[in-house]
Amino acid sequence: DILANHVLPVFGCQTTTAINRGMIKDFLLTKLGVYANSTVVHFKNVVSGVLNKAVDDEIIPANPYRTQDRKAAINPLDVRDIEHTRGHR
């Protein structure tokens, strides 16, 4: 289970409001050398899903992984970023 085995050991001790984009990006980058690109995308989706739920429950005002202005937004990692990073190791 991605949440129990990967996300909670890294973020479980953090308050939801303390989690930021940089922390998420660092987490995903550590997974790149170990897991397939598609698996890292699943990690990304789980983290984002948890943060979206926190927004829905009014625990945090916005998901730090997303921005309001999609045109200006740069996701911490998308599939192209993962493939590009893997190619330059």
Side-chain angles (χ1 to χ4, degrees):
D1 175 78
I2 292 173
L3 183 62
N5 295 326
H6 300 277
V7 176
L8 290 177
V10 174
F11 296 106
C13 63
Q14 301 288 328
T15 62
T16 309
T17 56
I19 298 171
N20 61 48
R21 289 174 69 89
M23 294 168 69
I24 298 165
K25 184 174 181 176
D26 289 345
F27 165 73
L28 295 173
L29 286 171
T30 64
K31 300 300 182 183
L32 279 176
V34 182
Y35 297 96
N37 296 354
S38 60
T39 302
V40 176
V41 171
H42 289 299
F43 291 142
K44 171 187 160 187
N45 291 339
V46 169
V47 172
S48 188
V50 169
L51 293 170
N52 284 337
K53 175 71 171 134
V55 171
D56 291 345
D57 292 346
E58 298 180 352
I59 296 169
I60 56 176
N63 182 341
Y65 199 74
R66 299 168 57 111
T67 64
Q68 298 299 323
D69 183 5
R70 287 253 180 219
K71 291 180 183 176
I74 299 173
N75 279 330
L77 291 174
D78 64 20
V79 173
R80 290 174 300 204
D81 294 329
I82 293 168
E83 290 169 354
H84 178 75
T85 302
R86 280 214 171 172
H88 287 94
R89 286 191 166 204

